[in-house]
Amino acid sequence: MKRIGDGAATRAGLIGLAVILTTLFLVIPLAGIFYQALVEGMAPFWQNLTSAFTAEAIGLTLLIALMTVPINLLFGIFLAWLVTRFTFPGRRLLQTLIDIPFAVSPVVAGLLYLLLYGRTGWLGSILSEHDIQLMFAWPGMVLVTVFVTCPFVARELIPLMQAQGSAEEEAGVTLGAGGWTLFRRITLPNIRWALVYGVILTNARAIGEFGAVSVVSGSIRGETINLPLQVELLYQDYNTVGAFTSAALLAALAIVTLVIKAVLEWHTHRREKTA
Amino acid sequence: MSITVSDVSRRFGSTTALQPLSLEIKNGEMVGLLGPSGSGKTTLLRIIAGLEMPDSGSIHFGERDVTHVHVRKRRVGFVFQHYALFRHMSVFENVAFGLRARPAGERPSNAEIRDRVQHLLERVRLDTLAKRLPAQLSGGQQQRVALARALAVEPEVLLLDEPFGALDARVRLELRRWLRHLHEEFNFTSVFVTHDQEEALELSDRVVVMSNGKIEQIDTPQSLYRAPANRFVFSFLGETNRFGGEYHNGRLQQGEAWIALETSDSAADEVLLRPHELMLTTAPDARAHLPVTVDAVSPVGSDVRVELTAEWMDTPWLASITHHDFDRLQPQRGSDFYLIPSRYHRFAPDSA
């Protein structure tokens, strides 16, 4: 019996189409980034890569990621724990609210933060009385990045923790384990791969975030420019090689992330098979 | 360690899981909580363990009031329905968990933990599988790990939630005997939940029959079976045939069928009969006139089970007859017989 549409010609056609589309939309642009970065040779590429502004941008990008990931790691675990281990009124609403950063355009998120924390904003005016400025400075950029990336960890954990149930934790309690022991020896090992996965996604987004960050950054060169903003800035300065050098850096980071993700997926898959 | 449950009740939202009930379990006793699903038996077990809080009432272990003692400090062994083994830990680590989780002052040394776990694993015949992960074990083996893990902390009370529910019949029988041995050897007080009446009757010193969040009867398996307190207990403890009709002139009558009843109660409208209390004959006598047609015959086991139909029945009846009678009467699908009850059971109409 042949399945419907399982002819040799159909199959070849579909595979061919997939290859063409992938090449057109993914491979060529990606290769183009590296080509554009190196089109004038190694020297300008290297010069742009090692410029003071690029170094500042890399530094800021890493700072944002380094602060965002731990914050959202803890927040995600807390949220997933709350939603999957307790029943309380509003639980479902909370589960829906988690997705707001996904649903809202990052630019809108950035504007909202500007409105709230800007010098004339509700909270910003109070803060500025104490000489604290969040907007147009790196703390504001961290703040919006945290907002934009906060669902990733929770979204990875919630379905898993729901599927696993709380029976193992209950067993742990009856055996005399305290809260921390339970978390460290039972909950954490059961969710660790989902956790790593959530961190990778959070990290990738934190490094690459543009929209929300661009609204609150104020574009102060050498201070509030991270790599994605630097790409745009250099491109508008007609420094194509510079823009593509930074873009290549981001692309390289993305590829590394993808490789780690693939390795992890392969690892989890293998674990599931043996289990 | 004796367990005293006094006036414990529990509601979940608008449903009543447990009506206020009391229960006394003696030291070293093995008690089965038996009931259909939704009868509150698991809730009661979880309240005894401390995994649920009662809305009212108290729980005592011996003289000690444990109602507000956290489950962590109650020192009960709890075996979960689906074992709840720690999936990422080896069999050895699963069993060692309770010992390792103790606060630094009370924790045995590593060598001592190793010895004790090793000894327990030998007791449950799993010492050769110590390095395996739970997923690599059969259901019966997982069950034994769950037991060893619960016993490692030397509880005085062992609580088991549907301990054999997920196992196939042969493994179940073996594990039941083995649990009974273990219970006698370690001399703890055991409470287990089951919906399987055979399991409850075979394992328990006393059985607590529950329905709709209340206790219907507490008794030894023998008296429970011989003298069920009400209709619910009777029908839950075994297969039941029901004869409904109207009473006059010493007979309960339904169409052409009747059973002679020794009662002065003219409101009697039904009797219940066990399959093994029915005789298959070729002619009616003064005790009953119950014409039936054989619908199916199953000659497996110590008795032959015969399914019977008739116009006067609401649902098909079941009779179990001896192989001797089977050979003599040769009942086949479609053949007609009469039933003579050797015994019948009547319960007050107000009981469920």
Side-chain angles (χ1 to χ4, degrees):
Chain A
M1 263 280 280
K2 250 169 64 165
R3 270 180 293 177
I4 298 166
D6 196 18
T10 327
R11 199 179 331 167
L14 283 173
I15 293 174
L17 189 67
V19 169
I20 290 169
L21 288 178
T22 315
T23 314
L24 218 56
F25 291 119
L26 289 173
V27 180
I28 291 180
L30 193 64
I33 292 172
F34 289 98
Y35 172 78
Q36 290 287 348
L38 294 164
V39 71
E40 287 170 31
M42 276 307 281
F45 173 75
W46 191 250
Q47 197 189 340
N48 273 301
L49 196 63
T50 52
S51 82
F53 286 140
T54 308
E56 295 273 3
I58 294 174
L60 183 59
T61 303
L62 290 181
L63 174 78
I64 293 174
L66 271 174
M67 297 196 67
T68 304
V69 168
I71 291 173
N72 276 335
L73 180 67
L74 291 179
F75 176 73
I77 293 173
F78 169 73
L79 210 60
W81 181 278
L82 196 68
V83 165
T84 58
R85 294 295 180 260
F86 300 94
T87 45
F88 51 88
R91 194 173 65 102
R92 276 176 186 278
L93 184 71
L94 186 64
Q95 253 176 302
T96 316
L97 288 181
I98 294 173
D99 284 342
I100 280 189
F102 278 172
V104 170
S105 159
V107 177
V108 176
L111 277 173
L112 263 171
Y113 270 74
L114 204 57
L115 215 65
L116 269 175
Y117 292 99
R119 205 175 285 274
T120 52
W122 303 332
L123 292 164
S125 54
I126 304 169
L127 287 172
S128 70
E129 276 170 30
H130 297 84
D131 260 350
I132 299 169
Q133 189 197 346
L134 292 180
M135 293 299 113
F136 310 127
W138 66 264
M141 297 170 78
V142 172
L143 217 57
V144 290
T145 309
V146 166
F147 175 81
V148 169
T149 59
C150 81
F152 285 106
V153 171
R155 284 290 295 252
E156 285 298 318
L157 292 186
I158 289 171
L160 181 74
M161 288 174 74
Q162 241 154 14
Q164 288 181 342
S166 55
E168 283 183 49
E169 281 141 21
E170 283 191 339
V173 189
T174 61
L175 292 167
W180 174 240
T181 311
L182 275 186
F183 179 73
R184 193 175 53 85
R185 294 207 54 207
I186 297 170
T187 314
L188 196 57
N190 279 345
I191 61 170
R192 64 188 158 188
W193 293 114
L195 214 55
V196 173
Y197 201 75
V199 164
I200 286 176
L201 291 176
T202 307
N203 186 52
R205 186 65 192 267
I207 288 175
E209 175 53 31
F210 176 83
V213 164
S214 93
V215 176
V216 300
S217 107
S219 290
I220 307 165
R221 199 169 269 231
E223 267 185 50
T224 62
I225 298 292
N226 67 356
L227 274 177
L229 293 178
Q230 161 121 332
V231 173
E232 199 213 14
L233 205 70
L234 291 178
Y235 191 74
Q236 284 176 348
D237 283 353
Y238 301 104
N239 181 353
T240 316
V241 171
F244 276 101
T245 303
S246 294
L249 206 59
L250 280 171
L253 282 173
I255 291 169
V256 170
T257 308
L258 280 177
V259 168
I260 297 175
K261 184 175 154 253
V263 168
L264 274 179
E265 270 174 355
W266 171 78
H267 186 96
T268 358
H269 187 67
R270 212 185 42 167
R271 273 172 56 89
E272 272 164 11
K273 257 202 203 158
T274 54
Chain B
M1 181 75 71
S2 65
I3 304 170
T4 312
V5 176
S6 326
D7 291 321
V8 158
S9 72
R10 180 75 167 104
R11 296 173 68 84
F12 293 112
S14 59
T15 50
T16 305
L18 287 180
Q19 297 175 25
L21 56 82
S22 300
L23 175 63
E24 189 101 29
I25 296 164
K26 293 196 253 333
N27 185 26
E29 207 177 13
M30 188 160 200
V31 167
L33 304 179
L34 174 68
S37 58
S39 59
K41 55 193 193 303
T42 297
T43 305
L44 179 57
L45 191 80
R46 289 173 63 90
I47 286 176
I48 295 173
L51 290 167
E52 300 279 354
M53 286 300 282
D55 293 336
S56 69
S58 67
I59 309 280
H60 284 76
F61 286 176
E63 294 295 301
R64 178 170 161 236
D65 183 348
V66 295
T67 316
H68 301 289
V69 173
H70 192 271
V71 48
R72 190 183 303 137
K73 303 252 160 73
R74 283 201 197 183
R75 302 199 62 169
V76 296
F78 199 101
V79 177
F80 289 81
Q81 186 171 8
H82 300 291
Y83 320 131
L85 297 178
F86 306 132
R87 69 192 85 190
H88 62 277
M89 289 184 207
S90 67
V91 167
F92 182 94
E93 283 305 322
N94 261 281
V95 177
F97 184 89
L99 297 174
R100 293 203 202 281
R102 288 198 183 158
E106 302 164 33
R107 193 184 308 145
S109 71
N110 272 333
E112 204 178 319
I113 289 177
R114 202 169 49 238
D115 285 351
R116 278 169 66 174
V117 172
Q118 197 60 38
H119 174 74
L120 264 167
L121 287 177
E122 277 162 30
R123 280 294 294 116
V124 301
R125 287 169 290 144
L126 284 169
D127 41 322
T128 54
L129 303 177
K131 290 201 178 74
R132 296 265 187 101
L133 285 174
Q136 298 165 317
L137 302 179
S138 73
Q141 289 166 338
Q142 292 190 27
Q143 170 65 282
R144 271 143 54 197
V145 178
L147 262 162
R149 182 178 70 177
L151 295 177
V153 293
E154 294 172 331
E156 287 172 284
V157 171
L158 183 66
L159 306 170
L160 308 103
D161 186 5
E162 296 274 5
F164 311 114
L167 301 171
D168 60 69
R170 263 182 52 202
V171 180
R172 201 185 308 195
L173 211 65
E174 191 190 314
L175 274 177
R176 249 189 244 167
R177 303 227 168 91
W178 177 78
L179 176 64
R180 188 74 227 186
H181 276 295
L182 220 60
H183 171 81
E184 269 146 30
E185 185 186 321
F186 283 77
N187 193 39
F188 37 69
T189 307
S190 312
V191 184
F192 70 98
V193 156
T194 181
H195 62 268
D196 180 340
Q197 11 98 7
E198 203 184 305
E199 193 165 288
L201 296 181
E202 184 185 319
L203 265 177
S204 325
D205 297 314
R206 284 191 305 155
V207 179
V208 178
V209 184
M210 297 183 65
S211 85
N212 292 323
K214 61 179 194 290
I215 293 176
E216 298 285 350
Q217 190 172 1
I218 309 173
D219 231 321
T220 61
Q222 293 84 341
S223 18
L224 208 60
Y225 198 74
R226 296 245 175 82
N230 56 43
R231 192 177 184 278
F232 174 82
V233 175
F234 179 84
S235 38
F236 196 71
L237 283 185
E239 275 152 336
T240 310
N241 301 310
R242 178 182 176 275
F243 183 85
E246 268 174 48
Y247 181 79
H248 41 82
N249 298 333
R251 287 173 175 181
L252 193 61
Q253 185 110 28
Q254 168 70 46
E256 55 165 338
W258 54 261
I259 297 177
L261 233 50
E262 285 165 30
T263 179
S264 52
D265 178 11
S266 60
D269 61 354
E270 72 160 16
V271 292
L272 302 175
L273 307 107
R274 292 273 192 228
H276 65 267
E277 291 164 356
L278 292 171
M279 287 180 295
L280 214 55
T281 64
T282 48
D285 69 6
R287 283 173 287 178
H289 179 269
L290 300 169
V292 291
T293 307
V294 176
D295 196 38
V297 178
S298 156
V300 183
S302 54
D303 289 321
V304 180
R305 294 158 62 84
V306 187
E307 247 185 75
L308 305 162
T309 55
E311 268 182 28
W312 49 266
M313 294 176 186
D314 350 314
T315 51
W317 280 27
L318 197 68
S320 57
I321 61 171
T322 62
H323 282 274
H324 177 79
D325 279 351
F326 176 70
D327 291 340
R328 190 168 57 84
L329 295 164
Q330 298 283 327
Q332 282 172 359
R333 188 183 159 84
S335 48
D336 294 319
F337 288 96
Y338 290 92
L339 284 177
I340 306 290
S342 57
R343 228 186 130 189
Y344 59 80
H345 307 263
R346 284 214 314 124
F347 295 97
D350 60 309
S351 61

